[in-house]
């Protein structure tokens, strides 16, 4: 594959609000485009967890993940009202 | 560099073999959290891909306080993934770190690399040439029930009986029918999980059954989720196998989705012993 950056819908520096995340989620993500929920799932408490005095671990990860899941589901359920009108 | 001029910590994104560090950062070296340049610190055949982050945000207390703030987490998680995606693409093997791994000094990071070099190099070898994929199986209950009603002989018989029944018996039969339906769905769930898991395992090097998080009750019910470590060279076979089995199960109301390629967040952090084959 190329060095093209992985696209993360709505996670650019200018737009990281929840609303902008959802179109990607609702349309079905293409490979290489990840939702915040997927990111949280992979990044939090995954990878090599290094324990030692010099490192700081992330606590309460399951709760964070659950919380995100609930928030994202709730916002997604609100979505039908927010669907942009079709052009024309 | 840091406009605020506050204290900084060293954020560790990924580990690679030292001889691949140049390749990981060549050309446009990726920017990390806060748009800060990342660089490599080499020690004992390993290289750590690191960048600075403000201590005011990444010390333990503020970090844990901020994690559930989506506006705070989203851009930083995206930057963590962006660096790891590039590093993973450009090297034969990388170990992505968990979000929020920071060191107070370069010396403490070097000390850790020295102390754990053998183990970390083994972990790198275990994911060489591979990406990670997440396979999710969900059930659309309405479609699944419709498919069962059509194909399950026991349910079909119960329906015929129900339709011919007197109003007095109807209530009882309806309850029996919903119990039958629930049981049939459970059997189908297990069958879908097994068949789709087997299809993924045929090309994956390793599989890991992910725990399911109880999702809000909505249309789609999450049935199974696994991580798969897949040779990059075998990716298209992996997709084909999933699409084949996915098409069969779609007709029965089940949807198979894949997400990836991810750097090996799951498998880089899991020893071979702890993995469900």
């Amino acid at each position: 594959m190329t060095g093209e950056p992985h696209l993360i819908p709505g996670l650019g520096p200018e737009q990281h609000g929840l609303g902008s995340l959802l179109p990607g989620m609702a349309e079905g993500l293409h490979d290489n485009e990840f939702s915040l929920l997927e990111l949280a799932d992979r990044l939090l408490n995954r990878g090599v967890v290094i324990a030692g005095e010099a490192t700081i671990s992330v606590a309460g990860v399951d709760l964070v993940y659950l919380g995100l899941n609930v928030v994202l589901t709730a916002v997604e359920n609100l979505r039908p009202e927010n669907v942009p009108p079709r052009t024309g | 560099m840091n406009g605020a001029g506050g204290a900084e910590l060293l954020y560790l994104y990924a580990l690679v073999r030292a001889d691949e560090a140049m390749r990981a950062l060549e050309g446009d070296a990726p920017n990390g959290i806060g748009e800060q340049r990342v660089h490599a610190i080499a020690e004992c055949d390993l290289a750590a891909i690191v960048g600075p982050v403000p201590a005011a945000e990444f010390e333990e207390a503020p970090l844990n306080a901020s994690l559930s703030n989506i506006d705070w987490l989203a851009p930083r998680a995206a930057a963590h993934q962006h660096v790891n995606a590039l590093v993973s693409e450009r090297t034969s093997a990388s170990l992505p770190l968990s979000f929020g791994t920071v060191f107070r000094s370069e010396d403490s990071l070097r000390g850790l690399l020295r102390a754990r070099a053998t183990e970390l190099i083994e972990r790198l070898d275990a994911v060489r040439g591979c990406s990670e994929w997440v396979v999710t199986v969900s059930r659309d209950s309405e479609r699944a029930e419709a498919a069962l009603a059509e194909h399950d002989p026991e349910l079909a018989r119960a329906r015929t009986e129900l339709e011919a029944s007197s109003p007095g018996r109807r209530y009882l039969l309806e309850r029996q029918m919903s119990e039958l339906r629930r049981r049939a769905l459970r059997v189908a769930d297990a069958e879908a999980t097994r068949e789709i898991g087997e299809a993924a395992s045929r090309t994956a090097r390793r599989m890991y059954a992910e725990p399911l998080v109880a999702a809000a009750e909505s249309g789609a019910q999450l049935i199974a989720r696994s991580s798969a470590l897949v040779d990059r060279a075998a990716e298209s076979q992996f997709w084909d196998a999933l699409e084949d089995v996915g098409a069969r199960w779609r007709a029965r109301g089940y949807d198979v989705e894949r997400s990836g390629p991810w750097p090996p967040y799951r498998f880089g952090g899991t020893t071979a012993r702890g993995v469900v084959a």
Side-chain angles (χ1 to χ4, degrees), chain B residues 146-262:
Chain B
L148 279 175
E150 217 174 298
H151 299 296
D152 188 304
E154 209 180 346
L155 272 171
R157 203 169 335 109
R159 172 167 300 282
T160 317
E161 199 183 336
L162 180 69
E163 278 159 5
S165 68
S166 63
R169 286 199 67 211
R170 225 183 155 83
Y171 174 70
L172 184 69
L173 287 175
E174 262 169 5
R175 284 194 46 180
Q176 277 175 0
M177 178 117 175
S178 79
E179 179 53 34
L180 274 180
R181 201 184 293 126
R182 229 190 336 267
R183 220 180 310 149
L185 276 179
R186 269 205 302 273
V187 170
D189 285 357
E191 204 181 324
T193 305
R194 188 175 48 76
E195 271 191 27
I196 293 159
E198 279 171 5
S201 310
R202 274 198 287 280
T203 38
R205 217 193 266 187
R206 283 154 69 188
M207 295 286 292
Y208 184 96
E210 296 286 349
L212 295 183
V213 174
E217 283 290 333
S218 58
Q221 180 83 33
L222 191 58
I223 301 298
R225 216 160 56 94
S226 341
S227 296
L229 186 70
V230 181
D231 269 293
R232 289 173 199 168
E235 258 165 21
S236 61
Q237 277 163 268
F238 179 72
W239 299 339
D240 289 348
L242 281 182
E243 252 142 54
D244 261 17
V245 75
R248 260 187 294 126
W249 279 95
R250 194 154 42 245
R252 296 180 60 177
Y254 290 79
D255 295 302
V256 181
E257 277 169 67
R258 61 165 201 252
S259 145
W262 292 94

Side-chain angles (χ1 to χ4, degrees), chain B:
Chain B
M1 294 291 242
N2 185 335
E8 285 182 341
L9 296 169
L10 204 52
Y11 188 101
L12 176 54
Y13 293 91
L15 296 167
V16 297
R17 284 196 76 113
D19 54 13
E20 291 198 308
M22 288 288 282
R23 202 185 310 160
L25 301 180
E26 75 193 344
D28 49 337
N31 283 343
I33 292 169
E35 291 297 315
Q36 297 286 318
R37 274 291 266 251
V38 302
H39 63 280
I41 294 174
E43 183 76 46
C44 286
D45 294 337
L46 286 165
I49 308 298
V50 298
V53 289
E57 288 182 41
F58 282 87
E59 284 285 2
E60 188 166 7
L63 174 62
N64 283 296
S66 302
L67 276 175
S68 53
N69 176 354
I70 290 173
D71 289 336
W72 184 89
L73 180 64
R76 289 160 184 82
H80 179 107
Q81 164 59 13
H82 175 64
V83 171
N84 267 296
L86 284 180
V87 167
S88 170
E89 267 177 30
R90 292 171 177 182
T91 58
S92 69
S94 70
L95 292 179
L97 272 288
S98 184
F99 182 86
T101 305
V102 294
F103 291 77
R104 289 187 204 289
S105 72
E106 193 177 312
D107 277 353
S108 58
L109 170 58
R110 285 182 185 279
L112 178 122
L113 295 182
R114 276 196 301 275
R116 289 182 57 179
T118 313
E119 176 218 327
L120 292 170
I121 285 173
E122 274 172 18
R123 283 176 186 264
L124 274 170
D125 288 341
V127 298
R128 185 167 315 283
C130 292
S131 297
E132 186 168 296
W133 292 81
V134 185
V135 178
T136 306
V137 183
S138 56
R139 183 220 307 138
D140 180 321
S141 297
E142 216 170 283
R143 277 163 49 215
E145 284 180 19
L148 279 175
E150 217 174 298
H151 299 296
D152 188 304
E154 209 180 346
L155 272 171
R157 203 169 335 109
R159 172 167 300 282
T160 317
E161 199 183 336
L162 180 69
E163 278 159 5
S165 68
S166 63
R169 286 199 67 211
R170 225 183 155 83
Y171 174 70
L172 184 69
L173 287 175
E174 262 169 5
R175 284 194 46 180
Q176 277 175 0
M177 178 117 175
S178 79
E179 179 53 34
L180 274 180
R181 201 184 293 126
R182 229 190 336 267
R183 220 180 310 149
L185 276 179
R186 269 205 302 273
V187 170
D189 285 357
E191 204 181 324
T193 305
R194 188 175 48 76
E195 271 191 27
I196 293 159
E198 279 171 5
S201 310
R202 274 198 287 280
T203 38
R205 217 193 266 187
R206 283 154 69 188
M207 295 286 292
Y208 184 96
E210 296 286 349
L212 295 183
V213 174
E217 283 290 333
S218 58
Q221 180 83 33
L222 191 58
I223 301 298
R225 216 160 56 94
S226 341
S227 296
L229 186 70
V230 181
D231 269 293
R232 289 173 199 168
E235 258 165 21
S236 61
Q237 277 163 268
F238 179 72
W239 299 339
D240 289 348
L242 281 182
E243 252 142 54
D244 261 17
V245 75
R248 260 187 294 126
W249 279 95
R250 194 154 42 245
R252 296 180 60 177
Y254 290 79
D255 295 302
V256 181
E257 277 169 67
R258 61 165 201 252
S259 145
W262 292 94
Y265 285 107
R266 168 54 85 189
F267 292 100
T270 317
T271 56
R273 273 189 303 280
V275 171
V276 185

